[in-house]
Amino acid sequence: MTFLNEYAFYIGAFGLILIGLLTILLRHHLIKLIIGLSIMETGINLFLIAIGYISRGTAPIFPVDGGAGTVMVDPVPQALVLTAIVIGVAVLAMALGMAIRLHGHYGTLDMRRIKELKW
Amino acid sequence: MIFLVAFLVLVMLAAAIAAFFFRDLLSAVIASCIVSLIASIIFFLLQAPDVAMAEASIGAALLTAILIIAIRRTGRYEE
Amino acid sequence: MRVLLSLAVVAVLAAGIVTVLRDVPFGGNSSRLGSHFVENGREDTGAANIVTSVVLGYRGFDTLGEVTVLFVAAVGLGALLVAGEKNAPRKLEKASMVLTTGSRFLFPLILLFGAYIFIHGHLTPGGGFQGGAIIASGYLLVYLGSRDRRLGKNWAASIETGGGLTFVLLGLAGLTAAGHWFLSNFLPLGVPGQLLSAGIIPIIYVAIGLKVGVELTGVIDSLMGGTE
């Protein structure tokens, strides 16, 4: 019970990061790699938000009257993650554009069949 | 409350593992969409409504749409 | 070999994470920066939503950089895909009338919702980025529902330019006002919690919302390619 209380969010975040990393390392298809990147990014965002959480804190938004003195969670990681999500979708769209061009050039997205991408 | 979180985390990790194993790319994209959607609920439970909104509208909706468009232009199955 | 190497890398990473995280208690965050923003953010910037006051008040320059990155990515994607128009996707079948009418009916409502989200960015959860993404998803619905509709390129370019220019010019206007600096809040702050408060923050968020909406729509548009 206390274990769950302490670690449930961390397990979720780092589970996503490790699964995304495994997808990037083990899969051969470029679109699968991009899906892995997006999963990893979600995990990192989740971890940053979980770090900023304060027990029994409320969302960092003041009501119309008062609200002074209430405990609020840390707003800085939330602002950073907001930035990271928007940048992330732009970067992934760019990667997908490159994948589409590669498919036009080689006729496949399998990394074993594209010589320059083999490792 | 904590059991709800544990359940959500389990489903999220299961969807991520499913996205790893699916040979059909469309199914993998839908699984990663489920990951984003549940992550958005968890953001809300962590008192971050701004981030939850961004993740639901960008991560779960737009990114899935972009991936599906790219799959339509390249091919659905991973050989 | 490759599988073993990858599994070894991931196992080492997991072991490192477990070692470090055992000493980080959950929910015990005590960042002095965060508590400073929570205590003073409403008085300093006039925004009731502290995340907005961090994004546009304390870290406005950072957000300008972010908007630039998004712009560069959208332009780069367009440039990347224009050259590859030869393998345009095959001709699409026409959507049914129910789909067309439904998407045209829902489109203005989604636009209205997106505008609500970014106009109230300093009062309620949400803001320019979320509202822009909602507007882009409305355009996505129209693209999928009625295939012939496209965003006019001139309109898109002028909205994008206008949004970026508003951001930069408001920042430069802060330089001319006495006692202020780049992107500092030189308009009167008003009463926190009212729609017309927080100085330049709502104006910048409206500009960002329109700009992000148009840019994400442009990303979808160039990924879809030339459908005859």
Side-chain angles (χ1 to χ4, degrees):
Chain A
M1 190 68 193
T2 45
F3 175 79
L4 269 186
N5 252 324
E6 281 279 312
Y7 292 111
F9 293 103
Y10 288 161
I11 290 173
F14 281 103
L16 284 190
I17 293 177
L18 295 179
I19 292 169
L21 191 62
L22 272 181
T23 313
I24 293 170
L25 288 173
L26 289 180
R27 284 294 162 160
H28 301 288
H29 198 274
L30 271 179
I31 301 257
K32 223 29 185 306
L33 254 74
I34 294 172
I35 293 173
L37 270 179
S38 93
I39 289 176
M40 204 167 158
E41 188 196 307
T42 310
I44 291 170
N45 292 340
L46 206 55
F47 175 61
L48 283 176
I49 293 290
I51 283 258
Y53 184 72
I54 295 175
S55 299
R56 275 179 271 286
T58 64
I61 296 166
F62 282 99
V64 177
D65 46 349
T70 49
V71 179
M72 289 183 175
V73 300
D74 196 343
V76 181
Q78 298 194 12
L80 294 182
V81 167
L82 196 60
T83 313
I85 289 175
V86 180
I87 299 270
V89 77
V91 169
L92 290 179
M94 192 89 189
L96 282 173
M98 286 182 191
I100 289 174
R101 286 305 305 277
L102 268 178
H103 186 265
H105 194 266
Y106 289 99
T108 178
L109 283 180
D110 196 329
M111 282 167 60
R112 289 166 297 188
R113 310 230 314 255
I114 302 175
K115 213 173 72 190
E116 284 83 358
L117 285 181
K118 225 182 243 173
W119 68 281
Chain B
M1 171 67 190
I2 192 63
F3 289 109
L4 173 69
V5 170
F7 174 70
L8 286 177
V9 166
L10 269 184
V11 176
M12 186 173 73
L13 291 182
I17 292 172
F20 177 81
F21 279 112
F22 276 137
R23 293 270 168 201
D24 184 353
L25 289 174
L26 203 56
S27 312
V29 170
I30 298 303
S32 82
C33 169
I34 293 173
V35 171
S36 276
L37 210 55
I38 296 179
S40 136
I41 299 173
I42 293 179
F43 284 140
F44 182 74
L45 292 178
L46 282 171
Q47 305 290 342
D50 291 85
V51 183
M53 206 176 244
E55 179 75 32
S57 63
I58 295 179
L62 273 181
L63 188 60
T64 309
I66 290 174
L67 278 165
I68 289 176
I69 293 168
I71 285 172
R72 196 197 64 173
R73 286 184 71 167
T74 55
R76 179 168 169 183
Y77 293 99
E78 178 184 9
E79 63 266 28
Chain C
M1 188 59 213
R2 171 177 159 150
V3 175
L4 282 183
L5 197 63
S6 312
L7 285 178
V9 167
V10 171
V12 168
L13 191 64
I17 288 166
V18 168
T19 327
V20 171
L21 273 192
R22 262 195 318 206
D23 304 330
V24 182
F26 174 72
N29 171 51
S30 58
S31 149
R32 273 191 293 166
L33 188 65
S35 51
H36 175 84
F37 286 161
V38 165
E39 277 156 22
N40 303 319
R42 193 162 56 157
E43 285 74 31
D44 282 354
T45 61
N49 185 349
I50 302 297
V51 177
T52 299
S53 81
V54 174
V55 167
L56 287 184
Y58 295 106
R59 301 178 61 87
F61 193 55
D62 183 52
T63 306
L64 183 60
E66 178 197 1
V67 171
T68 314
V69 169
L70 194 60
F71 172 72
V72 169
V75 170
L77 186 66
L80 202 61
L81 287 179
V82 156
E85 278 302 292
K86 283 184 304 255
N87 59 331
R90 56 200 172 279
K91 203 168 177 344
L92 300 162
E93 59 181 293
K94 205 143 175 52
S96 73
M97 202 185 84
V98 176
L99 205 56
T100 311
T101 317
S103 63
R104 279 184 194 161
F105 172 71
L106 280 177
F107 176 62
L109 297 180
I110 296 179
L111 278 197
L112 192 67
F113 180 55
Y116 171 81
I117 293 287
F118 63 66
I119 288 173
H120 289 79
H122 56 302
L123 302 177
T124 55
F129 298 106
Q130 293 95 328
I134 290 170
I135 286 179
S137 64
Y139 269 105
L140 180 70
L141 182 73
V142 170
Y143 279 171
L144 296 179
S146 51
R147 261 68 184 258
D148 47 344
R149 289 298 177 91
R150 277 298 156 98
L151 181 71
K153 287 274 185 268
N154 290 336
W155 271 98
S158 47
I159 290 176
E160 205 168 339
T161 318
L165 269 184
T166 311
F167 201 159
V168 174
L169 287 182
L170 271 176
L172 288 178
L175 282 178
T176 60
H180 288 282
W181 54 94
F182 188 60
L183 278 175
S184 90
N185 208 335
F186 62 92
L187 291 179
L189 293 184
V191 184
Q194 287 184 349
L195 184 58
L196 289 177
S197 65
I200 62 171
I201 287 180
I203 308 171
I204 293 185
Y205 243 173
V206 169
I208 288 182
L210 292 173
K211 188 170 154 67
V212 168
V214 170
E215 268 162 7
L216 291 179
T217 311
V219 164
I220 293 170
D221 195 47
S222 46
L223 271 175
M224 278 212 166
T227 40
E228 297 95 311

